[in-house]
Structures are given as structure tokens and as C-alpha cells.
Amino acid sequence: MLAPLVLSGCSSELNDQWARGGLPESVTDHGDRITTLWQGAWAAAFITGAIVWALILAACVVYRRKATDTGLPPQVRYNLPVEVLYTTLPIVMVLVYFYFTARDQNEVGDVKNDAAVNVSVVGKRWSWDFNYLDAGVFQAGTPGEPPTLYLPVGEKVHFDVVARDVIHSFWVPQFIFKKDMIPGRVNSFELTPTKVGFYAGKCAELCGTYHARMLFNVAVVERAEYDRQLEALRAQGNVGDLTDVEGPQQPRSGESLTIDPETDETESE
């Protein structure tokens, strides 16, 4: 009895994902804009491809060599209207693509500095530190124990993302957004989580041997639970800011870093 219901639910979810062009369902206020841009890009690509293939096949059929043909077909040096068309049309298409991409990119990347919650995310080989700047507490992670970033649902969050050693990238697939983290530079973005849930995150930039273990989670919760989590970190003694602190996974110059697979402890060599 349950099998048809389960299968129908999976089919509906799969159809929805196909309609989104393969993207997951968004859980932030920017998701619909990014999804629409993605769908529009695919639609434009399919339409362009269909027109190009139609013209190629039409030329193959209309101008194919016939049994009655003798010698070479008439040789034409140029066709000004056609040349103007295939020069101007691609320029117009690129300008249209650029306009919509730039418009949405500027909207998504706009930082107004009016967020209710401020978080600093530190990427390090090979884990994450999360600093809750408003409360003055932090959560530190290791490759063996991926940390969880708590965010209150329906409240705007300002992110500052930095890298402690090499280039990393903060990516949560359900956010449909990622931000590169570059040593010596602070990159910022803002978004509002819109759906309570538990979401997987990872580094989207190949950063070394244990890149695949550089994982984290995001818990979007109600404000009361968010406050309780901050108080729990305070009770654990996780008070301060790890943004500018060199963690135990930061190797010194000329050293390499290994991780004990049994203990997940880091060692310099």
C-alpha cells in the first residue's frame, strides 16, 4: 500500500527537480532568482541549439547533391544580408545573456550591512570554524567531526568568509550559492534562510589531500533554538573569535600536514 505513495512522491520530487534544471529546492531568499536565471539560460541554449540544428539539416536537405547535378554548384563570394545577420544576432544574444546575469548577480551579491545575524566563516585545511559575532562565541570543527552552523529561519544573515591557509569555497547546495574564500581577503554576502531544516555543506575548491573530508552542516532553526545553541557554546567555554587565530591544522613554512585516520589528529612533517 505504501509503495505507490512513496514512488509517486519520488516521481513528483524528481519532476520538480527536472523543472528546476537539476537544481535542488532552494531554502534562501535568493534561490528563486538564481533558479529562474538558470532555467532561462537552459531555455535559451536549447532554443539556440534547435535553430542551429534546424538550419544545418535544412541546408543538408535543400542543397544536397542531386543525381541530375553536373559540375560544381554556383559559387557565391558573399551574401551581405546573411553575413550581417550572423554577426549581429550573436552579439545581441550575448548582450541579453549578460544583462540578466549581471542584474541577478548584482542583486544576490548586494551587501547592505543591515543583517540581524552576523557570522564569520573560516576555512582551514580541512575543516571549518564558525564565529557567531553578535554573541561572541564560536564552533570549531575537525575532519572527523564536521561542525554545524546554526542559523535562525526568516532572519537576514551577514557572512564574512575567510581562508586560513589556501583557497577554499563555502558551498551549501540548497542555498544554490557558493562563495570563494581567499587567504588575506574577506569576502561577504547576505541571505535569509527561509525553510527550517538540516542541510549538508562542503568545500567547493580543491584544497589538498583531505579536501573530500572538508564537510559541515547547516541547521536552520527557530530563533529560540538558535539562542539555546549559542548559550550551549558559551557554557562549553567556546567564547571569543577564531577568525584570526592559527588553528592546529595550519602547517608552518616548509612543512606538510597529515591526518591520523584513526584519531583524526593532525601532525606536521
Side-chain angles (χ1 to χ4, degrees), residues 79-114:
N79 187 315
L80 186 58
V82 172
E83 292 182 6
V84 170
L85 177 65
Y86 68 56
T87 300
T88 57
L89 186 58
I91 293 176
V92 172
M93 292 170 60
V94 170
L95 290 176
V96 172
Y97 298 158
F98 175 80
Y99 166 76
F100 286 106
T101 301
R103 182 199 64 180
D104 292 343
Q105 181 174 303
N106 289 337
E107 181 64 28
V108 171
D110 187 25
V111 177
K112 295 184 172 64
N113 292 310
D114 59 353

Side-chain angles (χ1 to χ4, degrees), residues 124-125 129 142 164 246-251 257 266-268:
K124 60 186 183 182
R125 291 183 292 185
D129 293 336
T142 67
R164 188 170 291 158
E246 287 194 0
Q249 293 171 316
Q250 170 66 38
L257 193 66
T266 58
E267 298 179 355
S268 296

Side-chain angles (χ1 to χ4, degrees), residues 28-30 109-111 113 115-122 128-134 149-152 155-162 170-172 175 177 179-181 186-193 216-220:
T28 75
D29 58 329
H30 295 318
D110 187 25
V111 177
N113 292 310
V117 178
N118 295 274
V119 175
S120 171
V121 179
V122 182
W128 309 83
D129 293 336
F130 300 132
N131 299 286
Y132 300 90
L133 303 179
D134 305 301
L149 174 64
Y150 282 79
L151 301 175
E155 298 188 36
K156 190 175 184 178
V157 183
H158 177 98
F159 290 85
D160 288 331
V161 294
V162 298
F170 179 86
W171 181 40
V172 182
F175 286 6
F177 178 86
K179 195 71 168 181
D180 287 349
M181 311 163 77
V186 178
N187 286 335
S188 302
F189 64 94
E190 295 174 346
L191 54 79
T192 302
F216 66 96
N217 298 297
V218 175
V220 179

Side-chain angles (χ1 to χ4, degrees), residues 32-60:
D32 289 343
R33 177 181 292 274
I34 299 173
T35 300
T36 300
L37 177 65
W38 178 250
Q39 292 170 322
W42 272 108
F46 276 120
I47 293 172
T48 302
I51 293 174
V52 171
W53 277 105
L55 292 174
I56 292 174
L57 294 176
C60 291

Side-chain angles (χ1 to χ4, degrees), residues 1-9:
M1 293 294 292
L2 292 177
L5 294 176
V6 173
L7 292 176
S8 64

